[in-house]
Every structure is written in structure tokens, then in C-alpha cells.
Amino acid sequence: MLSKELVLRRSENCWKAEFSAMASPCELLIDTDTESEARFLASLALSETLRIESKFSRYRDDNIIHAINHSNGQPVELDDETSRMLAYANSCFQLSDGLFDITSGVLRKAWKFDGQPIHPDKELIRSLLAVVGWSKVALTDRSITLLPGMQIDLGGIGKEYAVDRAANLLHEKSGRSVMVNFGGDIRAIVSDSGREPWTVGIEKPENEEKVAGVIELRNGAIATSGDSRRFCLYKGKRLGHILDPRTGWPVKHAPRSVTVIAGQCTESGLLATLAMLHGAKAEEFLQAQEVTFHCIR
């Protein structure tokens, strides 16, 4: 198991750095011949990733998310970065007609996605829905006010944001070609037109050891949303972990896996999640966005 300590080793024609953060294995590929440069750059990316994790994790009791979630109806002052993140979440909510809602994380209290049979408490789900709804939140450029009992969870965009930040940081500091992969959320940058593109495999949902396809990526991002690792069984049916904030239940007729290619990881991650939230109409939604995608049912 990886730790938050950096592990660096040579891998074919680049250096590979590994660590664990945001509940995911994290991998950096850096196109340099020099170990000292690779270690320096990887250390910068690790530091930035841990900073973002500490600041936006819902599991900590010393950050801005904890302050917001325990504000009991009082306004909380926002710093610039948090304000930008919440403005982005607000845009996602508006553009998705309420499907993407960062207040819906509280619904996890009614569900456990460990691959085992579950008997959901329908009364608990109904009671939790009373504190779900971004439209109930008062957001300005400098403050946010939640109703008592409401919470926010930036898990739907935080990891993708960290991937983009790490990739941009590595490239800005070195001009090198880099690829950042945090648990399947990927951003690649190729600085030299003569360099081969990075190669990324798409896992098969029913067999993570095999690939369903291969994508060559020069400058762009890939994100995948699916139920291969997080699901439950209800009345003999497999239910994925993406919850519909309008019903409190897992989305019906969602694909097993959706992979989206876009310019930024935050964009590809959002589109993959929204596609899952569209259930049976996932492919139709993605075709309307005019993005490249791979959908497995």
C-alpha cells in the first residue's frame, strides 16, 4: 500500500513518482533524464496535492469545509480559492438543472457501497432530503450561508481540481512533458511536438486487470465514473454509488462506466459524473456535449 511518502523510480523513458492521497493511488510521470529534477518536481506536486486535500476534505475538523458544515445557519467568510471552487459548483448545479449538487453528500448516511446487500432506510432517506438542495444556499463572492443541518462536499470536483493543479505546476516549473494520474483521473501535457503521446488504458468494469480500450493523449484529460469499486446490492440488483439528489437513491439505468476526454480534468470529471446522473440517457447527453467518450453498459 502506498503512503503519503514519495516513491520515485525510473520507468522506461521517464521518471515515475507514486504516493497516496485523496483516498487514491497517485502517479506522476515526468519526462526528464535527471533524478534530482524528477524528485524536485514530484515533491512540489505532492505538496500541492496534500494542501488541497487538507483544505477541502470533509473528514477533517480544522479546515474551511468543517467550518461551513458546522456553521449552524451563520455566514462563513470565504478565501479566494474556496470562493472560486464554490462558484464552479454553483455553475455546475445551474447547468445540470440541479443534478450536480454538492449538498447531496449527506445522503451517504443512508447508503454503504461495499459490494454487499443493503436494506436502505427509506424514512432516513426522506429526512436527509430535507437538508439537500443547493438552491437553499446563500452564496456571495465572499461568504456562504447554509441552512442548519446542511453540509457541502467537494468530493465531486476536488480530486480533479488537484490533478489539474499538479499537472500545471509540474509543467510551469519545468516545461517538461508530464502525466498526472490520481486514481484514474488523468491530465497529460506534452511539451515537445516530437514526443510520443502518453498512452492510457481504460479498465473493464468487470475485470480491472484487463483494458476495454487504449487512448493516446497529448494535451488533455481523462476521467472515468463508474461502479466497478463502489456499489451495493438491493433486491438482487447492483446499484452504483452515484446518488440522484432529487430522490436520494442511486441513479437508475446508469452505465457501468463512463470515460470522458476533455481539455481539463475538472471538465472531464464533471461530464463523466453528469453522464452517470443522466442514467439511460448518458450517451445522448454526452453526444450533445460534443466530447469524445467511452461508455460501457
Side-chain angles (χ1 to χ4, degrees):
M1 179 180 293
L2 292 172
S3 72
K4 294 186 184 301
E5 297 296 322
L6 194 65
V7 176
L8 187 69
R9 59 187 173 85
R10 188 69 183 167
S11 177
E12 298 183 356
N13 59 348
C14 63
W15 282 91
K16 181 177 183 179
E18 297 175 295
F19 56 89
S20 179
M22 300 184 167
S24 296
C26 300
E27 179 184 275
L28 313 172
L29 299 180
I30 305 171
D31 187 12
T32 176
D33 293 327
T34 310
E35 179 177 357
S36 59
E37 183 183 24
R39 186 171 298 282
F40 168 71
L41 293 170
S43 297
L44 290 179
L46 172 61
S47 177
E48 177 66 357
T49 302
L50 296 182
R51 182 193 70 80
I52 294 170
E53 181 180 39
S54 297
K55 183 171 183 176
F56 295 120
S57 171
R58 69 172 185 265
Y59 298 108
R60 296 178 65 101
D61 60 4
D62 59 351
N63 62 13
I64 183 69
I65 300 302
H66 182 271
I68 293 170
N69 288 344
H70 294 80
S71 55
N72 197 30
Q74 298 301 307
V76 176
E77 186 176 353
L78 303 175
D79 62 85
D80 290 345
E81 185 180 39
T82 305
S83 179
R84 289 194 300 273
M85 291 285 279
L86 293 177
Y88 180 70
N90 178 56
S91 297
C92 296
F93 177 81
Q94 302 299 336
L95 292 171
S96 68
D97 292 327
L99 282 177
F100 187 92
D101 190 333
I102 63 171
T103 68
S104 65
V106 69
L107 292 168
R108 66 182 176 275
K109 295 179 180 178
W111 296 93
K112 189 174 184 180
F113 298 103
D114 60 357
Q116 299 300 311
I118 190 171
H119 303 285
D121 185 333
K122 296 179 181 179
E123 184 56 38
L124 174 60
I125 293 172
R126 279 193 288 271
S127 67
L128 292 172
L129 284 173
V131 290
V132 172
W134 179 254
S135 59
K136 304 170 186 173
V137 174
L139 178 68
T140 72
D141 291 343
R142 304 313 311 171
S143 71
I144 184 172
T145 307
L146 304 185
L147 296 178
M150 291 188 73
Q151 297 183 9
I152 62 169
D153 179 358
L154 294 179
I157 53 178
K159 182 150 66 78
E160 292 86 347
Y161 172 68
V163 169
D164 284 331
R165 288 280 303 174
N168 289 336
L169 182 63
L170 290 174
H171 187 64
E172 289 168 4
K173 292 293 183 182
S174 67
R176 302 289 188 184
S177 298
V178 299
M179 186 165 78
V180 175
N181 179 358
F182 290 180
D185 292 327
I186 296 169
R187 172 78 186 281
I189 300 175
V190 174
S191 60
D192 180 358
S193 59
R195 191 197 189 285
E196 293 293 321
W198 298 103
T199 301
V200 181
I202 301 174
E203 291 178 350
K204 281 189 173 181
E206 69 276 15
N207 189 340
E208 298 172 12
E209 300 300 319
K210 295 185 177 180
V211 296
V214 174
I215 296 171
E216 291 189 338
L217 198 63
R218 294 190 66 82
N219 293 291
I222 298 174
T224 298
S225 183
D227 67 0
S228 63
R229 296 181 178 86
R230 297 177 62 197
F231 64 94
C232 64
L233 300 175
Y234 176 62
K235 294 184 177 180
K237 293 184 178 179
R238 180 188 182 105
L239 302 180
H241 73 283
I242 304 291
L243 296 171
D244 187 330
R246 300 166 300 185
T247 66
W249 282 71
V251 177
K252 294 181 178 178
H253 310 301
R256 291 292 312 279
S257 169
V258 173
T259 297
V260 176
I261 303 173
Q264 305 284 324
C265 197
T266 45
E267 180 186 5
S268 55
L270 173 65
L271 290 173
T273 300
L274 288 181
M276 294 294 288
L277 284 164
H278 277 80
K281 296 184 177 180
E283 292 90 339
E284 181 180 331
F285 165 76
L286 289 169
Q287 287 165 358
Q289 309 311 308
E290 298 182 344
V291 294
T292 301
F293 67 93
H294 190 88
C295 196
I296 300 175
R297 289 193 176 269

